[in-house]
Amino acid sequence: YMEQKYIVCGWFAPDERKTLDDYKRFAQLFNKCGEKAKEYGLQFCHHNHDFEFFPIDGIIPYDLLLNETDKNLVKFELDHYWTRKANVESKKIISKNPGRFPLFHIKDMDATPEKAFTEVGTGVINWKSVFKLAPKAGMDFYYIEQDSTTKMKPLESIKVSFDNLKKMKL
């Protein structure tokens, strides 16, 4: 027994997310996954990327997922890099949906036009304001990730991120 609490859907392939009906099907599937996860003492969650915030027929798919899933069965891992890349404020999402975000995905964005990944604390995301949202979000855990590195080796990169977060005394 590993005492795992969460199981997370981390990605929709491009051909699976073309229409609102695709997202409605995911919402229905997520509710079923949430029921099944609960039977095993787990909480089902979904991890966002930027594409869930691009409107389809005037509707934001991420809003559809939040609104059409059972708030007790389906929670979310909020990836703050991808919300920022989509020009969406995490604070607004959390304010509208308190308690639905037990997991925070922590990775930073550089100030270049490419908005590339960078070590936490060296980019444009204000981590103190993000972590102030944790109680309202219902955050239980956060994960530091560096999707890709350009300036240093991966383990050096994660150490910089970890050390920077420690210095922030969140």
Side-chain angles (χ1 to χ4, degrees), residues 37-61:
K38 188 175 181 178
E39 288 177 26
Y40 290 92
L42 297 169
Q43 175 63 63
F44 180 81
C45 300
H46 172 64
H47 172 285
N48 68 279
H49 291 83
D50 58 346
F51 56 78
E52 284 105 335
F53 298 99
F54 301 153
I56 299 174
D57 300 330
I59 295 175
I60 305 294

Side-chain angles (χ1 to χ4, degrees), residues 90-159:
S90 297
K91 184 176 182 175
K92 287 184 181 178
I93 299 168
I94 291 168
S95 293
K96 289 181 185 176
N97 304 280
R100 299 249 358 230
F101 307 94
L103 307 175
F104 277 12
H105 210 155
I106 306 301
K107 50 190 170 187
D108 218 334
M109 176 187 298
D110 71 16
T112 66
E114 294 79 27
K115 300 178 180 179
F117 300 110
T118 193
E119 289 70 30
V120 174
T122 67
V124 299
I125 297 175
N126 181 333
W127 293 108
K128 286 192 178 198
S129 68
V130 166
F131 278 95
K132 282 181 183 174
L133 302 170
K136 187 166 196 159
M139 187 193 78
D140 189 18
F141 294 106
Y142 66 89
Y143 303 90
I144 303 169
E145 180 185 3
Q146 183 74 25
D147 286 36
S148 60
T149 59
T150 56
K151 301 175 212 150
M152 56 188 82
K153 293 179 182 175
L155 290 178
E156 294 168 341
S157 172
I158 201 67
K159 183 172 181 353

Side-chain angles (χ1 to χ4, degrees), residues 23-38 42-46 62-76 97-102:
Y23 283 96
K24 287 177 184 179
R25 281 190 291 278
F26 276 117
Q28 291 170 358
L29 176 61
F30 284 1
N31 284 324
K32 290 177 186 174
C33 291
E35 288 174 10
K36 186 55 82 174
K38 188 175 181 178
L42 297 169
Q43 175 63 63
F44 180 81
C45 300
H46 172 64
Y62 198 73
D63 291 343
L64 186 147
L65 292 173
L66 282 160
N67 294 331
E68 295 199 13
T69 54
D70 183 316
K71 66 181 181 177
N72 297 309
L73 295 175
V74 179
K75 306 285 184 183
F76 293 80
N97 304 280
R100 299 249 358 230
F101 307 94

